[in-house]
Amino acid sequence: MTNSVESRTSDRKPGTRRRADGEQSRRAILRAAAELASVEGLEGLSIAALADRVGLSKSGLYAHFGSKEELQLQTIEAAREVFAEEVVRPALAEPPGLPRLRALAHRFLEHVERGTFPGGCFFASVGAEVDSRPGPLRDRIAAIHRDWSGQFERCLVEAQASRDLESRADPRQVAFEVMAMLAGAHQSFLLQGDRTALERAKAGIEVVLESHSARR
Amino acid sequence: MTNSVESRTSDRKPGTRRRADGEQSRRAILRAAAELASVEGLEGLSIAALADRVGLSKSGLYAHFGSKEELQLQTIEAAREVFAEEVVRPALAEPPGLPRLRALAHRFLEHVERGTFPGGCFFASVGAEVDSRPGPLRDRIAAIHRDWSGQFERCLVEAQASRDLESRADPRQVAFEVMAMLAGAHQSFLLQGDRTALERAKAGIEVVLESHSARR
DNA sequence: CCTACCGATCGGTAGG
DNA sequence: CCTACCGATCGGTAGG
């Protein structure tokens, strides 16, 4: 046994404690940071407030992250992982083309309705904050938004291959129209508390798909 | 003459100075405040920074507004006036129904492209900031958003009367779809710097109108 | 990971 | 409208 102390510890309490706790604590901090930032913004995310929320001291957070910008960047990555797990990955289980596109959109709307982040979609909220402030935060959010957009475009190219979308349709244009419905729903749901906006978005997506359909 | 003091003043220097200057200065402050807030947010709008920008001291601003929240509320009203002047009023010169609806949408897109506010549409930016923070700021922004939405709905009801929109279409649903295009364009234009998004929104609106048209 | 501290800046006020 | 100030909080660091 090379690691008698930890082994001994795990004889009493299961699991290798020390490193796991560091990683687990880091994840818990970033999860709380993403929730806070979805409401207060990445700038409004204060280190003292976050430290308080997770039961650490400010310098405890600096031990983990070093600077506010580093914390902000890692918070973005943590939010991206939550979003991937809750929206993108399940949708990728659906067949390519329109079924997958609908799954992406519907999962997004459920993600917003569920309130995984109290400020709505982390990227919609934080995107609006950083969109006119050049810098690494904006660059990262913009890249993630492009990836998200690419998911829809790929589905639409596949839908053309399977003759579910007319061949003269522009996948980028149709992707824009579908994603616009999601943006509109997010706005009305959060600002007006209007749950029907989520259903309106689904209906709007069908209008868009129908109008570009090869089978009309 | 009931107002001899002001008349006398205008005998020497044209215009009634004293009150005009106070009002003019107040307008200039609020205009700068709206520009700052469209980028930094209503919370990020700091009184010291604003005072610096307009060449006053902090307490000079307090003489005008009294508190930060009052400044924020008056900033919202100032932005609303700019928006009304630049987007809504010119569109109301167009005939009711679809021509007016198109004018509202196109004027909005031009307003964003022109960069009247450096952070894009004041209400889209600030709306995303306050949408999950209950309080008077959110209430006011939400009410303005409902008015804006009502402009589109009214156009669509008129379009039904003139048989440009099918009678079984739901004006609220169609208004949602049209406004979603604007939200999508705003997002892509600001986050990606993508000017084509503005054209895509116009095309998307035509797709939506066509699909609900009574003349297909 | 902690306590204790730094200078800068926040919204706001006193007194003129 | 100004100068001069208030306590609270900001991001960040020293030293352990």
Side-chain angles (χ1 to χ4, degrees), chain A residues 5-179:
Chain A
V5 175
E6 300 224 340
S7 306
R8 181 95 42 106
T9 304
S10 70
D11 285 344
R12 303 175 191 180
K13 300 166 191 173
T16 51
R17 275 311 193 81
R18 227 164 326 180
R19 291 198 49 153
D21 276 7
E23 187 51 27
Q24 206 175 314
S25 145
R26 190 182 153 277
R27 292 173 74 91
I29 294 166
L30 289 176
R31 178 62 189 248
E35 289 170 13
L36 264 174
S38 78
V39 174
E40 309 291 340
L42 281 172
E43 223 53 51
L45 171 65
S46 109
I47 288 169
L50 177 59
D52 221 61
R53 175 84 96 84
V54 297
L56 291 184
S57 68
K58 271 170 53 184
S59 72
L61 287 191
Y62 276 98
H64 278 284
F65 306 104
S67 74
K68 178 164 184 181
E69 186 172 279
E70 193 53 42
L71 169 65
Q72 291 169 320
L73 286 166
Q74 292 193 38
T75 298
I76 291 171
E77 298 313 312
R80 198 183 59 85
E81 278 162 34
V82 170
F83 191 82
E85 201 67 49
E86 207 167 290
V87 179
V88 181
R89 207 160 309 176
L92 293 180
E94 296 293 320
L98 297 192
R100 184 175 292 175
L101 180 141
R102 289 192 175 95
L104 282 167
H106 294 185
R107 286 269 176 180
F108 174 86
L109 295 169
E110 288 154 16
H111 170 74
V112 172
E113 184 169 29
R114 187 183 304 127
T116 300
F117 295 113
C121 169
F122 178 90
F123 295 99
S125 301
V126 164
E129 180 191 9
V130 303
D131 63 11
S132 47
R133 302 175 179 220
L137 299 179
R138 181 189 134 132
D139 291 347
R140 187 63 187 123
I141 299 282
I144 291 171
H145 184 260
R146 281 193 298 277
D147 281 353
W148 174 236
S149 179
Q151 297 282 356
F152 286 92
E153 275 179 53
R154 233 167 296 129
C155 289
L156 289 160
V157 169
E158 289 155 353
Q160 274 179 328
S162 59
R163 307 288 307 128
D164 289 320
L165 191 74
E166 54 182 10
S167 57
R168 65 178 178 279
D170 175 4
R172 292 197 57 180
Q173 173 68 27
V174 183
F176 170 87
E177 293 169 7
V178 169
M179 293 176 67

Side-chain angles (χ1 to χ4, degrees), chain B residues 74-108:
Chain B
Q74 293 194 37
T75 298
I76 292 172
E77 297 313 312
R80 198 182 60 85
E81 278 160 33
V82 170
F83 191 82
E85 202 66 50
E86 206 166 288
V87 179
V88 181
R89 206 160 308 176
L92 293 181
E94 295 294 320
L98 297 191
R100 184 174 293 175
L101 179 140
R102 288 192 176 94
L104 282 167
H106 295 184
R107 286 268 176 180
F108 174 86

Side-chain angles (χ1 to χ4, degrees), chain B residues 1-23:
Chain B
M1 282 199 213
T2 55
N3 207 339
S4 61
V5 175
E6 299 223 340
S7 304
R8 179 96 39 107
T9 305
S10 71
D11 285 343
R12 303 179 189 179
K13 299 168 191 174
T16 50
R17 273 312 192 82
R18 226 165 326 182
R19 292 197 46 152
D21 274 8
E23 187 50 28

